[in-house]
Amino acid sequence: MPIDLALRFRYIKNLGNSIVDFFSQVKGLLGTFGFIDVFDILFVTVVIYMVIRIIRDTRAMQLTKGLLFLAALYIIVNFLGMDASSYILKGIFTNILIIVVILFGPEIRNILEEMGKGAARSNLMAILDSGVAVEVNEMKKTIESTCKACADMSDSKTGALIVFEKETMLGDIIASGTVVQATATKELIENIFFPKSPLHDGAMIIRSSKIYAAGCILPLTNNKNISSSLGTRHRAAIGVSQQSDAIVVVVSEETGNISVAISGNLKTGVSSGELRDILAENFLVDPSSSNESAVKKFVRRMKR
C-alpha cells in the first residue's frame, strides 16, 4: 500500500511539472509572437482549408481520415508503452512524405491545377460571403421546384431519381454523370427526366440548392429483404441512402408513386405536400434561430 501511494504521488508530481513546463513554453512563445507569426498561421490555415475543399468529395478524403486514425493510434500505443506496435507505426510515419506522394499523387496534381485556375480565390470568397438568408431562400425555391416537378412527373408517370446531398459528399457519384451546376427550376428538372433526354436515365444530384449533376450512376442496395416489386431506381435510392446521409426522391415510371429514401429506409406513397415537409425539415434552417451555432453556419459556408 505505501508503495502504491508513493507511485501515485510521483505520477501526480510529474504531471504537475509537465503542466508547468507546458505553460512556461507557451509564455515564452507568446513573448516572441509578432505580426509575421500571425500572417504565417493565417496562411497555413488558408492553404489547409483549400486543400480540404478540393479533396473533400474524392476518395482522398477517406485516405486522409485513415492516416489521421493511424496518427491517433500511434499516440495511444506510444503512451501505453506498446513497443512492438510503436515500432511498426513509427516506421510508417518516418516515411510519411513518400507515402503521401504515392497515395495522393493525382490529388496533388489536381490541387495545383485548381489553384492555377483561380479556385483558391473563389474558395476564399466562399468563406467571406455570409449570405445565410439568401442561402435559405434559394433552398426554399429548390424544394418548391422539386415538389412541383415531382407532382407533374407523378401524373405523367415519368421516372425520376433526385438525390439531395447533405454532409456526406458524393464526389465519386457525381464523377459518373454530367456536371450541370444550374439553378433548380420545375421546367429544368422535368426536362432532364424527359424520356428522350440524354440524362433522364440516371440520378440528379442537388448540392447547396443547385442542380449540380445529372445522369449519375448510384450504387444498388445489397439488402435481399426488400420487395421484389421495387425497380432499379428504388434499389439505387436505398443504396445511396445506406452509404450516405443523402435524401433521395424517386418517382416510379410504372405507378407514378413518389417515394423517399432516408438512411436505407424507403417511404412510399408520399404526396407532394409530404415531400415538401420532409425536405424542409432536413434542409431549411432559420437564419435567425439561436439554435444554430456559429460553427454550423461556417460549415454550411464551406459546403458551397
Side-chain angles (χ1 to χ4, degrees):
M1 184 68 68
I3 296 177
D4 290 341
L5 291 176
L7 290 175
R8 290 180 183 179
F9 178 77
R10 184 180 301 173
Y11 173 78
I12 295 173
K13 182 180 179 181
N14 291 335
L15 180 62
N17 291 334
S18 299
I19 294 174
V20 171
D21 291 340
F22 172 76
F23 281 106
S24 297
Q25 293 177 4
V26 171
K27 183 179 179 181
L29 180 63
L30 293 177
T32 59
F33 200 76
F35 173 77
I36 297 299
D37 299 302
V38 175
F39 180 78
D40 187 24
I41 293 173
L42 290 176
F43 178 76
V44 172
T45 302
V46 171
V47 170
I48 293 174
Y49 167 77
M50 289 189 299
V51 170
I52 294 175
R53 178 93 179 191
I54 293 172
I55 71 170
R56 62 179 181 164
D57 56 350
T58 66
R59 292 182 179 179
M61 198 62 184
Q62 302 302 321
L63 292 173
T64 303
K65 293 178 181 178
L67 289 177
L68 291 175
F69 173 76
L70 286 178
L73 187 62
Y74 176 66
I75 294 173
I76 293 173
V77 299
N78 193 44
F79 176 77
L80 296 176
M82 301 168 63
D83 295 335
S85 301
S86 298
Y87 178 79
I88 296 174
L89 293 174
K90 184 178 180 180
I92 295 176
F93 287 104
T94 301
N95 304 291
I96 190 65
L97 289 179
I98 299 176
I99 294 174
V100 167
V101 171
I102 294 174
L103 292 178
F104 300 101
E107 284 73 22
I108 293 174
R109 180 177 178 179
N110 183 45
I111 289 170
L112 295 176
E113 289 177 351
E114 292 292 334
M115 292 179 69
K117 291 188 294 185
R121 183 168 59 87
S122 61
N123 287 337
L124 184 59
M125 292 303 296
I127 303 177
L128 300 177
D129 183 13
S130 59
V132 177
V134 175
E135 210 174 296
V136 173
N137 190 46
E138 289 177 354
M139 196 63 202
K140 285 182 180 179
K141 293 179 181 178
T142 298
I143 291 174
E144 191 65 28
S145 298
T146 301
C147 293
K148 289 181 179 179
C150 287
D152 287 351
M153 291 186 291
S154 175
D155 292 338
S156 62
K157 293 186 178 180
T158 300
L161 184 57
I162 305 173
V163 181
F164 282 80
E165 184 186 64
K166 294 184 73 177
E167 299 302 321
T168 303
M169 309 301 288
L170 304 175
D172 292 340
I173 292 175
I174 289 172
S176 67
T178 301
V179 175
V180 179
Q181 285 189 314
T183 301
T185 64
K186 169 181 169 292
E187 293 76 16
L188 180 56
I189 295 174
E190 292 182 18
N191 188 58
I192 287 176
F193 289 110
F194 184 72
K196 294 185 179 181
S197 167
L199 301 176
H200 83 283
D201 206 24
M204 173 191 294
I205 309 295
I206 293 183
R207 171 186 286 182
S208 298
S209 78
K210 301 289 184 182
I211 299 177
Y212 194 85
C216 300
I217 300 174
L218 303 184
L220 300 181
T221 179
N222 294 321
N223 188 353
K224 305 298 182 182
N225 297 322
I226 63 174
S227 173
S228 58
S229 63
L230 296 178
T232 305
R233 283 192 180 91
H234 294 84
R235 293 175 183 272
I238 295 173
V240 74
S241 70
Q242 287 175 328
Q243 298 183 17
S244 70
D245 59 354
I247 295 179
V248 192
V249 181
V250 188
V251 180
S252 173
E253 190 174 356
E254 288 75 23
T255 64
N257 289 336
I258 301 174
S259 304
V260 179
I262 303 176
S263 301
N265 298 313
L266 186 70
K267 183 178 181 180
T268 59
V270 177
S271 67
S272 59
E274 290 174 324
L275 176 60
R276 185 180 291 104
D277 292 339
I278 292 172
L279 295 176
E281 181 181 351
N282 284 274
F283 292 99
L284 294 185
V285 179
D286 184 1
S288 62
S289 174
S290 59
N291 293 328
E292 185 186 25
S293 66
V295 174
K296 289 183 179 180
K297 293 179 181 179
F298 178 74
V299 169
R300 201 168 67 254
R301 299 309 309 165
M302 289 182 64
K303 281 183 63 63
R304 290 190 65 179

